[in-house]
Amino acid sequence: MSRYVPPPPAPASALRALEGKLGATLPPVLEGRYAASNGGTFGDPRNRDCEWQLHPVFDATDRKQMKRTGEDIAHYTKLALKDARFPRNGISIAHDYTLARQLLVLRDEATGAVGDAVFLFDVFQNLWCAPYAIDLQAAIDQARIPEAVQPDPARALPEFPYYADPFRSGVMHTSGETCECCGQATGYIYGGSFYAVGDESHFCPWCIADGSAAAKFDGEFNDSAGVGMGEVDLPASVVAEVSQRTPSFFSFQQEQWWAHCNDAGRFLGEIEHVDRALLASDAGTDLVETVCETAGLGGDTDWQWLLDTPSRKRDIAVFVFGCVHCGKLGGYVDHS
Ligand SMILES: [Zn+2]
Ligand SMILES: [Zn+2]
């Protein structure tokens, strides 16, 4: 058996050229992987017969590399988009030798920034954009997680009525870790805050959603005093749902929860992840005004800067919520 030799690194110029072609900025993890090796294969722990083939980045260094990398990410993305079920803002990064199963990342239409999260497109399972791994490195690493602790694709993730997508915000991710509440490795783990006397905080989504983690360890995921932002008194059942059965989000200061129509809002994420048309609509007018005022943003340029700069590169974060009744947007500015 011949020893597996990983492909050589992709030069920085090749990565820049790809970004130009896609009109996208690659996230550091993806870029790091290609800077180490331009392509290669890794296993799919959910399907031991499958092997992911990472598409290369076109490398014009010499003839040999040109030939090897001709069918690159841009090529496969173009092919993938011919299938109407493939997400329109998806970028195909790997396939298992057929186009029926692919891994993809998502490009933010407005900023061109590509998110770290890796998604699964699987025609056989009717999955068009299912969470697969928090980033490419995790996708490669999870192939080494024992089969028994892989997420069960048949078990639907619980819904959080006040939280749009805990995977997108990053507080939930795929992992082989054992839940500190139920003791099971479900394939997903929570990594956000949990206020309790003990140290336990790594729970599976189910133990959060059904309240068992909060009950067992007598804690809160979100500070109950901050639900309603100190401005409105909400029904106790709403405060309990948000504080005890809803994931938190990463913030500089202790999180607060916006409320409207006598109910808690649904957490939509940081402002750069919120649909821009929605922000620009009537529903967003008050939010935009409040944010500009609190953050001291002068005009359109400042506003654009806020939308185009990833939050890790600025000292303010803006958290956006949507009213579950009237659709109005609200939220607040968080300072480091
Ligand atoms: Zn659990
Ligand atoms: Zn409302």
Side-chain angles (χ1 to χ4, degrees), residues 30-315:
L30 196 66
E31 197 172 322
R33 175 59 180 71
Y34 280 102
S37 178
N38 189 5
T41 58
F42 56 98
D44 179 357
R46 294 172 189 76
N47 184 348
R48 298 280 164 180
D49 299 330
C50 155
E51 184 179 54
W52 293 117
Q53 168 100 10
L54 195 62
H55 309 322
V57 171
F58 179 65
D59 177 359
T61 310
D62 57 45
R63 268 172 184 282
K64 188 177 164 203
Q65 289 311 322
M66 279 170 77
K67 201 170 163 197
R68 187 183 74 80
T69 61
E71 297 196 333
D72 68 342
I73 289 185
H75 167 83
Y76 278 107
T77 299
K78 217 168 165 183
L79 287 182
L81 285 168
K82 287 187 178 163
D83 187 327
R85 298 166 300 190
F86 191 85
R88 295 299 92 187
N89 60 334
I91 295 173
S92 176
I93 58 167
H95 66 57
D96 78 338
Y97 302 95
T98 80
L99 294 180
R101 295 188 84 238
Q102 302 183 52
L103 293 181
L104 59 131
V105 289
L106 296 178
R107 172 178 162 279
D108 185 298
E109 301 281 19
T111 61
V114 176
D116 273 318
V118 176
F119 297 89
L120 172 69
F121 174 87
D122 187 331
V123 171
F124 305 115
Q125 292 192 82
N126 287 327
L127 298 174
W128 317 122
C129 196
Y132 186 82
I134 187 167
D135 58 36
L136 177 58
Q137 197 52 52
I140 294 169
D141 291 344
Q142 73 182 9
R144 292 189 279 269
I145 298 174
E147 195 163 13
V149 299
Q150 286 304 319
D152 175 359
R155 189 183 185 193
L157 281 163
E159 294 273 337
F160 296 101
Y162 294 117
Y163 207 116
D165 188 349
F167 286 92
R168 177 124 206 233
S169 74
V171 289
M172 200 83 77
H173 56 92
T174 48
S175 162
E177 223 180 297
T178 303
C179 169
E180 291 176 305
C181 181
C182 66
Q184 289 177 40
T186 65
Y188 302 105
I189 209 81
Y190 172 70
S193 60
F194 183 64
Y195 308 107
V197 177
D199 290 334
E200 293 83 0
S201 69
H202 289 198
F203 306 123
C204 73
W206 291 273
C207 286
I208 297 176
D210 69 9
S212 51
K216 185 169 180 180
F217 300 103
D218 190 22
E220 291 182 343
F221 295 97
N222 296 292
D223 178 22
S224 50
V227 184
M229 297 175 56
E231 291 160 8
V232 268
D233 272 329
L234 294 170
S237 59
V238 171
V239 176
E241 179 70 34
V242 172
S243 59
Q244 297 164 24
R245 296 188 290 275
T246 304
S248 192
F249 49 86
F250 298 120
S251 57
F252 296 119
Q253 313 299 331
Q254 183 135 343
E255 71 291 318
Q256 303 188 61
W257 211 275
W258 182 78
H260 202 252
C261 293
N262 199 36
D263 203 347
R266 184 171 158 85
F267 180 68
L268 301 179
E270 290 196 54
I271 198 155
E272 63 270 27
H273 294 148
V274 177
D275 181 63
R276 294 199 178 187
L278 185 62
L279 285 172
S281 73
D282 285 350
T285 314
D286 284 1
L287 171 72
V288 174
E289 209 168 277
T290 313
V291 169
C292 288
E293 222 175 270
T294 345
L297 302 180
D300 292 350
T301 342
D302 287 359
W303 178 250
Q304 208 50 47
W305 164 82
L306 181 74
L307 295 183
D308 293 344
T309 312
S311 66
R312 60 188 148 80
K313 292 191 179 158
R314 40 177 156 79
D315 56 6

Side-chain angles (χ1 to χ4, degrees), residues 258 260-262 323-328:
W258 182 78
H260 202 252
C261 293
N262 199 36
C323 177
V324 293
H325 303 281
C326 73
K328 191 180 151 99

